[in-house]
Amino acid sequence: MDVTVIDTSALGDRSYLVHDGRVALVVDPQRDIDRVIAAAEAAGVRITHVAETHIHNDYVTGGLELARETGAAYLVNAADPVQFEHTPITDGERVDVGELQVRAVSTPGHTETHLSYVVTHDGEQAVFSGGSLLFGSVGRTDLVGPAKTTQLTHAQYASVRRLVGQAQEDAALYPTHGFGSFCSSGPATGADSSTMAEQRAHNHALTDEDEAHFVEQLIANLSAYPTYYAHMGPANLKGPDPVDLTVPEPLDADELTRRLQQGEWVVDLRERVAFADGHLSGAVSFEYGDGASFTTFLGWVLPWNDRITLAGSREQVEQAIRDLSRIGIDSPDAALGSGPAQMAPEVATASYRRVGWEQMLAERPSDEPVLDVRRADEYAASHVDGSVNVPLHELLTRMDEVPTGTVWVHCGSGYRAGVAASLIQRAGGSPVHVDAAFGDAEAAGVPLTA
């Protein structure tokens, strides 16, 4: 048995191509299925089965399109009320994929109908656990709805224990979530691989013998998750449309100017340093980088279904279109160029200051406020003395709570503060971007409250 990991670091998830050298099973494919097809071609195998562990809450699946493209059987829990052709599968059912024996195991918790898959080949086993058993943790249990969180947390506790009992100790574990995804919960280890034996020894869901304590602690540590999650489940139940990853014909300067003047969302993909130094007035900063923060925060912050224009280099725009398609933001428009002068030379430019902690300490007047745009749980753990907390994902709806005049904006790493500074300036405010890691604040002499 060979397992190819297809990593989607922008969302903290993984998909898997599992094969016997001839035919393959794909587990939890992302929407941009060209990566999966390329992996199968590189391995010289034919995809005959595609399996979903659950109806995903954090991304739009590529499972349906991949099954149609390859002619594969599409394995989906028989209890899921999906609106497309598929091969229903139930707990305990076995499917042969060439020489691989694939067995479904009911593991409710992350969702009510969650399945894991135990794959066996020549005495070797691998467990594909989706959002059930993760490396050091488990999938979060509050995405179905607040009224069901306690029930699903109890179910998660029982499910992971059942799962380890149905696999060999040396079985390799391959979860979908847990690599930065907001679908994970608890103390995820950051490990790159694991086995069932390692999880039995170290995973808090398996080492905590007090179920009530586990449930209480997991629920207490659940934090905010992206609002776009609300749109993922319905899209996946309906059956996503094929994705178009082509870069559209770029807008001309006049049309880009009109959109800025109309207050539409023009998203500058350049580095936040370049944006602070000079940008089209009215644009907002979502630095593309490697996409790890870009996708989550753009989808979380900007109003769903509002028209978006991506502004940057062709390569940045092409990559951003791919990343956004994974969360159902399809066919954004594009403005191509290296900066404001190329994109819309007639539009006024704007800028704001970027500083580190030492500069903030030395230069901030005592009457100018500090705005912390981290999540509420991060703020509660430790924050700058006297700072105001408005989480980035709530900023557009709470802009009236942002102090007037000059405001010094920070977050955990500098990324969210850069987005927030651009939004505040767009709304008429005067931000100073504290582009520094919060973990360095104390060493720089910034007074903190724990």
Side-chain angles (χ1 to χ4, degrees):
M1 174 168 45
D2 185 271
V3 179
T4 299
V5 178
I6 302 166
D7 186 42
T8 306
S9 59
L11 296 178
D13 289 324
R14 289 180 174 179
S15 305
Y16 300 99
L17 176 79
V18 195
H19 65 85
D20 63 0
R22 296 184 303 105
V23 297
L25 163 75
V26 177
V27 181
D28 290 344
Q30 290 275 336
R31 196 178 182 197
D32 49 333
I33 62 172
D34 56 335
R35 296 185 298 157
V36 181
I37 292 172
E41 290 176 349
V45 297
R46 180 169 58 92
I47 298 170
T48 60
H49 292 75
V50 178
E52 299 284 8
T53 58
H54 59 295
I55 301 299
H56 302 282
N57 292 293
D58 65 328
Y59 64 82
V60 178
T61 182
L64 178 60
E65 183 60 19
L66 181 62
R68 287 173 173 169
E69 182 77 15
T70 61
Y74 189 23
L75 307 178
V76 179
N77 194 323
D80 286 322
V82 296
Q83 301 173 35
F84 47 80
E85 184 178 350
H86 64 287
T87 301
I89 189 169
T90 59
D91 178 46
E93 189 172 348
R94 192 183 110 169
V95 175
D96 291 332
V97 180
E99 297 177 3
L100 308 177
Q101 294 84 51
V102 181
R103 179 165 48 87
V105 179
S106 177
T107 47
H110 186 51
T111 66
E112 294 174 288
T113 57
H114 192 284
L115 293 174
S116 297
Y117 297 94
V118 178
V119 180
T120 304
H121 180 238
D122 286 342
E124 179 185 9
Q125 275 192 348
V127 176
F128 298 88
S129 58
S132 182
L133 185 65
L134 312 183
F135 294 162
S137 185
V138 292
R140 66 187 302 154
T141 55
D142 59 334
L143 299 180
V144 173
K148 295 184 177 180
T149 298
T150 299
Q151 170 193 337
L152 287 174
T153 309
H154 281 284
Q156 189 75 297
Y157 183 83
S159 288
V160 295
R161 289 162 177 265
R162 179 180 185 229
L163 184 59
V164 297
Q166 297 208 15
Q168 299 168 180
E169 286 285 287
D170 62 352
L173 178 64
Y174 295 98
T176 301
H177 303 315
F179 310 97
S181 168
F182 279 88
C183 276
S184 62
S185 65
T189 64
D192 195 54
S193 63
S194 188
T195 64
M196 301 303 276
E198 289 174 352
Q199 294 307 306
R200 189 190 291 274
H202 303 294
N203 192 302
H204 70 121
L206 297 169
T207 59
D208 191 342
E209 297 302 327
D210 185 339
E211 181 174 345
H213 176 264
F214 167 81
V215 170
E216 178 184 1
Q217 290 298 304
L218 187 143
I219 293 174
N221 287 306
L222 292 171
S223 60
Y225 57 86
T227 50
Y228 67 76
Y229 277 25
H231 304 280
M232 302 298 98
N236 289 327
L237 286 169
K238 180 182 177 182
D241 294 327
V243 65
D244 180 3
L245 300 178
T246 59
V247 176
E249 189 68 24
L251 303 181
D252 61 27
D254 289 343
E255 176 60 16
L256 180 59
T257 299
R258 189 195 68 79
R259 293 189 182 193
L260 286 163
Q261 291 173 343
Q262 292 295 318
E264 293 193 23
W265 296 111
V266 175
V267 174
D268 193 319
L269 302 175
R270 296 176 302 150
E271 293 182 352
R272 57 185 184 264
V273 176
F275 183 91
D277 285 344
H279 54 269
L280 294 169
S281 183
V284 293
S285 173
F286 284 88
E287 176 183 355
Y288 181 75
D290 62 1
S293 296
F294 166 79
T295 312
T296 295
F297 288 112
L298 188 149
W300 198 349
V301 172
L302 297 188
W304 192 256
N305 283 335
D306 277 13
R307 184 162 67 175
I308 293 171
T309 301
L310 302 175
S313 68
R314 176 170 288 274
E315 181 182 6
Q316 287 172 328
V317 169
E318 184 175 27
Q319 292 172 332
I321 287 172
R322 177 180 291 270
D323 281 354
L324 292 176
S325 74
R326 296 170 180 151
I327 61 170
I329 298 178
D330 289 337
S331 303
D333 290 326
L336 302 182
S338 60
Q342 275 194 321
M343 295 180 193
E346 301 301 318
V347 175
T349 59
S351 62
Y352 48 73
R353 294 175 60 202
R354 280 179 59 256
V355 301
W357 292 117
E358 292 83 359
Q359 281 179 279
M360 190 190 83
L361 275 176
E363 301 174 13
R364 182 180 70 90
S366 59
D367 61 342
E368 291 185 356
V370 175
L371 178 67
D372 184 336
V373 295
R374 296 176 302 153
R375 298 188 313 271
D377 59 299
E378 295 174 278
Y379 180 83
S382 179
H383 57 267
V384 176
D385 286 356
S387 61
V388 177
N389 180 223
V390 180
L392 173 62
H393 60 273
E394 300 175 4
L395 185 58
L396 284 180
T397 59
R398 296 175 59 188
M399 194 64 77
D400 59 345
E401 298 178 39
V402 175
T404 57
T406 302
V407 58
W408 300 65
V409 189
H410 84 87
C411 64
S413 67
Y415 188 94
R416 285 174 286 177
V419 176
S422 73
L423 293 171
I424 291 167
Q425 186 183 63
R426 183 178 183 272
S430 301
V432 178
H433 178 196
V434 183
D435 192 3
F438 184 74
D440 296 333
E442 186 172 23
V446 177
L448 304 180
T449 298

